Amino acid sequence: MTTTSLTSSRDAGRAGDKVFSAATLAAGCLILAVLFGVALFLIVQSLPALTAAPEKIQGGEGFFAYIWPLVIGTLIAAVIALVIATPLAIGVALFISHYAPRKLASGLGYVVDLLAAIPSVVYGAWGVAFLAKEISPAYDWLAKNMGWLPIFQGPASATGKTILTAGIVLAVMVLPIITSLSREIFLQTPKLHEEAALALGATRWEMIRTAVLPFGRPGIVSAVMLGLGRALGETMAVALVLSSGALTASLIQSGNQTIAAEIALNFPEASGLKVSTLIAAGLVLFVITLCVNMIARWIITRHKEFSGAN
């Protein structure tokens, strides 16, 4: 190869680097611009509701009195989903990555990935047509035997369409997301760490506890936060499963509502100030999601010294 051809190849490589660098910079700026545009749109469209007289807002007590029960209902449903889904997802991910035979693990991985592709309306239909009916006797038992706890106070819903049922459906929906991400993180654990733990006499569980879980902690947090984002913003499944109503501490009574379901159910027929009120509710959900992601980033940064990135 001549000197001229080497020079031209080097120049072409530098030009390619510049093009790729400019493209990635443009993509990053575009994401920020879209985020800023969405936030600006929500703020501008929410101003009429935020500045309106309290008696003009649904409920007659102002926007914050209207949105507060929706925020609580949204957080309750999301917390129920994470409490149920997180330990199951981590257990399934560990089984696939470190316990199951390779052929079985591969098949299970495909099944978990397929679960994430099922539309939310299908989960909602399953929840209202099957789960709600089948779980109603359990709610009656909880109201009878555990009714002294506020969260299980009766009378239980006869239809089973409660915030607890919605939380269980959301747990099934976020389970494959958390499982898939956690599995990939666990598979990236350095083999040297695992072999060192086993060489020191650790059992397989001790090796997982001392090498795999600490390494995957930031990834687990990221997976859980991604699942939380899905649970916070879910609309159709919650709208189908939940019999909305006033805020209540009981998880087995009819009542409660989430922001996303409130918007989905009321936006088609809304007009005037009601549209601004629903958009303002969307702004609140946007802020909650942003705060959740910031907290997740802070947690990951604290443990980055032993993360998958290192």
Side-chain angles (χ1 to χ4, degrees):
M1 184 176 293
T2 64
T3 304
T4 303
S5 61
L6 287 173
T7 303
S8 60
S9 177
R10 189 180 303 113
D11 292 339
R14 290 174 180 173
D17 289 341
K18 291 180 180 179
V19 171
F20 180 76
S21 176
T24 54
L25 177 61
C29 293
L30 179 62
I31 292 175
L32 293 177
V34 170
L35 183 63
F36 176 78
V38 171
L40 183 63
F41 168 81
L42 292 175
I43 292 173
V44 171
Q45 296 296 321
S46 300
L47 288 177
L50 298 176
T51 58
E55 61 271 12
K56 294 183 179 181
I57 303 298
Q58 181 177 332
E61 299 181 2
F63 174 75
F64 292 100
Y66 162 76
I67 198 64
W68 181 249
L70 299 179
V71 172
I72 298 299
T74 301
L75 295 178
I76 290 175
V79 168
I80 292 173
L82 290 187
V83 168
I84 296 174
T86 300
L88 290 176
I90 294 175
V92 173
L94 285 174
F95 176 76
I96 294 175
S97 61
H98 285 83
Y99 284 93
R102 287 301 90 193
K103 292 184 179 180
L104 177 60
S106 178
L108 288 176
Y110 290 140
V111 171
V112 170
D113 293 339
L114 287 174
L115 288 175
I118 297 177
S120 60
V121 68
V122 176
Y123 284 111
W126 166 75
V128 69
F130 175 78
L131 180 62
K133 296 178 181 179
E134 295 298 325
I135 206 170
S136 291
Y139 289 165
D140 293 331
W141 184 91
L142 288 173
K144 181 178 179 180
N145 297 278
M146 304 288 289
W148 51 274
L149 289 173
I151 60 174
F152 296 133
Q153 187 176 8
S157 171
T159 62
K161 298 172 67 175
T162 67
I163 192 69
L164 181 55
T165 305
I168 295 173
V169 173
L170 289 177
V172 176
M173 295 177 65
V174 304
L175 179 66
I177 298 175
I178 302 176
T179 301
S180 297
L181 295 176
S182 299
R183 179 193 68 209
E184 295 302 321
I185 292 295
F186 295 154
L187 289 174
Q188 294 177 19
T189 305
K191 292 298 180 183
L192 182 62
H193 295 179
E194 298 180 1
E195 293 171 356
L198 294 173
L200 291 173
T203 62
R204 181 177 297 186
W205 165 242
E206 290 173 337
M207 177 271 292
I208 291 173
R209 184 167 55 85
T210 58
V212 177
L213 292 180
F215 176 84
R217 186 183 304 149
I220 294 173
V221 173
S222 299
V224 171
M225 290 302 106
L226 185 61
L228 177 59
R230 173 75 184 274
L232 289 173
E234 182 51 47
T235 56
M236 290 309 301
V238 177
L240 288 173
V241 172
L242 181 61
S243 291
S244 60
L247 179 66
T248 175
S250 178
L251 304 181
I252 60 176
Q253 293 182 10
S254 297
N256 296 308
Q257 180 64 298
T258 67
I259 296 176
E262 175 78 5
I263 296 173
L265 292 174
N266 293 282
F267 203 89
E269 300 177 356
S271 61
L273 186 60
K274 181 62 176 179
V275 174
S276 297
T277 302
L278 294 176
I279 293 177
L283 175 62
V284 173
L285 183 59
F286 178 84
V287 172
I288 292 174
T289 305
L290 186 63
C291 292
V292 166
N293 282 278
M294 292 176 63
I295 294 172
R297 175 54 54 188
W298 175 74
I299 295 174
I300 293 171
T301 302
R302 288 187 60 194
H303 300 92
K304 66 181 180 180
E305 70 280 358
F306 195 42
S307 67
N310 295 325

